[in-house]
Amino acid sequence: MDDDLHRRVDALVAEEHALRTSRSGDGLDEQDRTRLRELEERLDMTWDLLRQRQARREAGMDPAGATERRADVVEGYTN
């Protein structure tokens, strides 16, 4: 499962990078900005799920019990 999540992160980062570099001179249009926000949210949600799985593993719990949280929840976290 973690390998799948890491592959998802890699794919999202690659798409984000491609979007940013393809439009670097012209700037992003509204559709690009919307997609970029979606990518950023998906990345945050995936990283959160990976962290949950790791925390459960470290606590001696089954990492499969981790669940993906909604974007509004994950985006509301502060450092």
Side-chain angles (χ1 to χ4, degrees), residues 22-74:
S22 70
R23 304 284 197 249
S24 63
D26 301 328
L28 300 174
D29 62 21
E30 186 59 33
Q31 183 178 356
D32 293 335
R33 285 191 295 275
T34 298
R35 182 59 186 153
L36 192 56
R37 279 191 299 274
E38 291 169 356
L39 290 168
E40 291 167 347
E41 286 179 354
R42 293 301 309 163
L43 276 166
D44 288 346
M45 292 167 63
T46 305
W47 280 120
D48 176 69
L49 182 55
L50 279 165
R51 285 189 294 273
Q52 284 184 64
R53 290 178 56 79
Q54 182 62 36
R56 292 180 66 86
R57 201 175 285 116
E58 290 173 1
M61 300 170 69
D62 182 1
T67 58
E68 187 171 85
R69 295 185 256 223
R70 296 184 329 261
D72 64 317
V73 172
V74 174

Side-chain angles (χ1 to χ4, degrees), residues 1 7 9 15 18-19 27 29 35 43 47-48 59-60 69 71 75-76 79:
M1 174 75 173
R7 280 190 288 278
V9 166
E15 184 179 350
L19 182 61
D29 62 21
R35 182 59 186 153
L43 276 166
W47 280 120
D48 176 69
R69 295 185 256 223
E75 295 294 309
N79 294 332

